[in-house]
């Protein structure tokens, strides 16, 4: 007597038909027609040499042989389904979303992204730019710019204690040395001033007066403003640690003169606070540690 397995298509058709109770339900699950399910079950019965359904009743009932086959399939397919789910969970990467202002994302986080991914190879990291934070769409790890008094009680300040002016060497070469800010073009974000530490508040914090009649160029995002500075269009404000990738390469130069200590800065929080998952906590702590290395 042969020990070969019955046709797999017949086994799956029979298993689906019993679980759904109808050929229509089985056909929908298997993405085939109802007659195809019927033919597969008939081929299985022919291979086994017995009837699996007693079709003299409506609805059809399982025969003794049908019940025996279903018990075996429940055990076998059940083990396969459990193993498949375990494998899927093991292979599925955890997704952690990091949200932050465009300036932080573009100039601080992206240059470090390869190191971050290497530190968490089992995690898919999704980066979303949000200028001032969206309370309805918080990230697993959220960085936002603002006042210390506005921050979540569990938030940690990571960047922005010191604020100072920077410019490209190309721009500075067109001005006398040492250059005076009153003679330079100041790159501003007037539309975001209620959220942002812009030139008027910087001069005030530095104990100076905003020069009267100074030329300004206005932008509505910090990323655009920094790109303008890199292109030699003027002077922009830099938060300690934020533009180090440009300062270290000489693409930007810190101007001599005053700096300011700001009550505004970049704050980091994690979703669910202290109850956050290990992956979220790990990425949160990695960003905090990297910012501390830079003296943020």
């Amino acid at each position: 007597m042969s020990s070969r397995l019955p046709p797999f298509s017949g086994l799956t058709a029979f298993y689906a038909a019993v679980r759904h109770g109808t050929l229509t339900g089985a056909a929908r699950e298997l993405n085939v027609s109802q007659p195809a399910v019927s033919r597969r079950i008939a081929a299985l019965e022919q291979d086994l040499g017995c009837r699996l359904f007693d079709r003299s009743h409506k609805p059809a009932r399982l025969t003794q042989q049908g019940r025996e086959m279903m018990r075996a399939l429940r055990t076998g397919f059940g083990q396969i389904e459990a193993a498949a789910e375990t494998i899927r969970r093991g292979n599925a990467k955890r997704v952690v979303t990091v949200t932050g202002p465009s300036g932080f994302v573009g100039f601080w986080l992206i240059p470090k992204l390869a190191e971050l991914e290497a530190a968490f190879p089992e995690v898919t990291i999704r980066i979303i730019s949000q200028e001032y934070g969206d309370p309805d769409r918080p990230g697993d790890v959220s960085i936002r710019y603002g006042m210390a008094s506005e921050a979540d009680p569990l938030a940690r300040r990571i960047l922005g204690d010191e604020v100072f002016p920077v410019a490209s060497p190309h721009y500075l070469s067109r001005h006398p040395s040492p250059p005076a800010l009153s003679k330079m073009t100041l790159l501003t974000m007037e539309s975001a001033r209620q959220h942002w530490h812009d030139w008027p508040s910087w001069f005030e914090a530095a104990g100076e007066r905003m020069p009267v009649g100074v030329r300004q160029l206005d932008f509505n995002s910090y990323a655009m403003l920094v790109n303008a500075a890199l292109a030699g269009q003027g002077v922009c404000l830099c938060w300690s640690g934020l533009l180090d990738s440009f300062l270290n390469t000489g693409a930007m130069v810190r101007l001599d003169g005053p700096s300011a200590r700001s009550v505004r800065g970049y704050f980091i929080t994690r979703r669910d606070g202290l109850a956050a998952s290990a992956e979220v906590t790990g990425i949160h702590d990695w960003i905090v540690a990297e910012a501390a290395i830079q003296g943020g």
Side-chain angles (χ1 to χ4, degrees):
M1 215 171 166
S2 174
S3 60
R4 63 179 175 80
L5 287 170
F8 189 73
S9 61
L11 292 174
T12 55
F14 172 72
Y15 185 61
V18 175
R19 284 190 296 106
H20 287 282
T22 65
L23 296 181
T24 301
R28 189 180 302 113
E29 177 184 314
L30 299 173
N31 197 28
V32 298
S33 66
Q34 182 176 327
V37 173
S38 182
R39 287 193 298 271
R40 291 180 185 185
I41 294 174
L44 175 63
E45 290 178 324
Q46 184 176 2
D47 180 85
L48 295 173
C50 66
R51 293 286 184 181
L52 298 175
F53 288 104
D54 180 355
R55 294 174 177 80
S56 64
H57 297 273
K58 292 209 182 280
R61 300 175 182 173
L62 287 173
T63 62
Q64 177 61 34
Q65 293 89 340
R67 289 192 291 273
E68 291 175 5
M69 178 58 71
M70 192 59 191
R71 280 196 295 270
L73 290 177
R74 279 201 181 98
T75 300
F77 281 144
Q79 289 177 345
I80 293 171
E81 288 165 356
E85 183 60 26
T86 299
I87 293 169
R88 289 189 189 108
R89 284 199 304 267
N91 290 336
K93 281 192 171 185
R94 169 83 165 95
V95 177
V96 174
T97 301
V98 180
T99 63
S102 61
F104 179 89
V105 168
F107 304 125
W108 192 93
L109 184 57
I110 288 179
K112 302 176 183 297
L113 202 51
E115 300 167 52
L116 178 58
E117 290 185 310
F120 300 93
E122 75 286 358
V123 178
T124 295
I125 300 169
R126 179 179 296 138
I127 310 295
I128 298 176
S129 174
Q130 290 181 351
E131 286 305 322
Y132 307 117
D134 184 345
D136 296 325
R137 295 179 58 198
D140 295 309
V141 176
S142 299
I143 296 92
R144 68 166 198 78
Y145 181 86
M147 303 279 285
S149 60
E150 300 168 346
D152 183 293
L154 295 177
R156 295 183 61 171
R157 182 171 180 151
I158 55 173
L159 295 175
D161 285 348
E162 187 182 12
V163 187
F164 48 86
V166 297
S168 72
H170 174 62
Y171 179 78
L172 295 176
S173 69
R174 306 200 304 267
H175 292 78
S177 181
L181 286 175
S182 60
K183 304 296 183 183
M184 306 178 107
T185 299
L186 304 184
L187 307 179
T188 70
M189 284 181 60
E190 185 173 353
S191 62
R193 194 160 285 168
Q194 68 182 64
H195 303 282
W196 203 250
H197 189 77
D198 205 8
W199 286 105
S201 57
W202 181 84
F203 276 106
E204 182 180 351
E208 297 193 358
R209 280 190 168 188
M210 176 90 173
V212 177
V214 65
R215 185 169 183 267
Q216 299 181 53
L217 282 177
D218 192 59
F219 300 86
N220 69 351
S221 83
Y222 189 64
M224 291 173 60
L225 185 149
V226 171
N227 284 326
L230 289 168
Q233 299 303 312
V235 181
C236 74
L237 289 174
C238 170
W239 281 253
S240 54
L242 185 61
L243 302 181
D244 282 8
S245 60
F246 300 122
L247 294 171
N248 292 338
T249 61
M252 280 193 175
V253 177
R254 176 173 177 170
L255 274 62
D256 293 331
S259 66
R261 294 283 174 178
S262 174
V263 293
R264 297 177 174 89
Y266 290 88
F267 294 84
I268 186 170
T269 56
R270 54 192 168 190
R271 191 196 296 270
D272 299 327
L274 298 176
S277 70
E279 296 91 346
V280 169
T281 298
I283 290 174
H284 168 279
D285 293 350
W286 188 93
I287 293 174
V288 169
E290 283 295 310
I293 289 171
Q294 292 182 242

